[in-house]
Amino acid sequence: MVRNYQIYWIEELFVQHYYGRERMFYQLFSDWEASTGDLHDIVSKQVDYITKPIPYLPTQRLLQHEITKVEGAAWINSVATIEREESGATLVLNEKSMSLNAWGHDESEYIFFEILRRNMGQLLAMDIKNERFGWLKPIKQRKFIY
């Protein structure tokens, strides 16, 4: 099974407000992908408003540095790749998102998710086709004692 994730950096205000209601983000991005015409323009503006551009050079340096520590990984022409016997994944940096395509076992995609989780916050990964979505680094909820 092939999994195609789009990873977005969400503005902190929306992360705080919509934490625990990730399905609303999923629905917005799903509508964005499926819409056309005027509706697509409106939803695009909403997506632009809640997302931040990915800092390309720092993210590229981070991935290049971290990927050298992983067996079976390579950085070729701005694409990070992990190839194993039973799984593999490629991560492509874009201006407003990252695209992660994975096949086989979940191992390779989890390596990328872990690298991003350790080094960046507020990232939301979504596989629209398979209805899989979630934060790479969930925020910690404060526990109040009364």
Side-chain angles (χ1 to χ4, degrees), residues 45-102:
K45 288 177 184 175
Q46 292 174 334
V47 168
D48 284 343
Y49 188 70
I50 68 166
T51 58
K52 290 170 44 170
I54 305 240
Y56 188 86
L57 286 176
T59 305
Q60 179 182 1
R61 272 189 234 116
L62 164 85
L63 287 168
Q64 283 177 317
H65 180 263
E66 292 287 331
I67 217 75
T68 60
K69 303 173 188 174
V70 177
E71 185 181 328
W75 182 268
I76 303 165
N77 297 331
S78 300
V79 178
T81 305
I82 298 174
E83 297 239 2
R84 300 273 171 92
E85 263 186 53
E86 310 232 349
S87 67
T90 59
L91 181 71
V92 179
L93 286 174
N94 303 308
E95 184 181 330
K96 289 285 268 185
S97 67
M98 290 180 260
S99 300
L100 176 66
N101 299 315

Side-chain angles (χ1 to χ4, degrees), residues 4-55:
N4 299 307
Y5 293 94
Q6 292 299 312
I7 303 168
Y8 297 95
W9 193 351
I10 306 295
E11 290 281 355
E12 187 163 354
L13 172 70
F14 298 103
V15 172
Q16 298 291 333
H17 188 73
Y18 288 98
Y19 183 79
R21 296 180 274 181
E22 292 80 17
R23 182 158 286 287
M24 294 175 90
F25 285 117
Y26 169 78
Q27 191 62 50
L28 176 68
F29 284 96
S30 179
D31 290 348
W32 181 44
E33 196 174 275
S35 65
T36 57
D38 289 342
L39 179 60
H40 184 75
D41 294 340
I42 292 167
V43 178
S44 291
K45 288 177 184 175
Q46 292 174 334
V47 168
D48 284 343
Y49 188 70
I50 68 166
T51 58
K52 290 170 44 170
I54 305 240

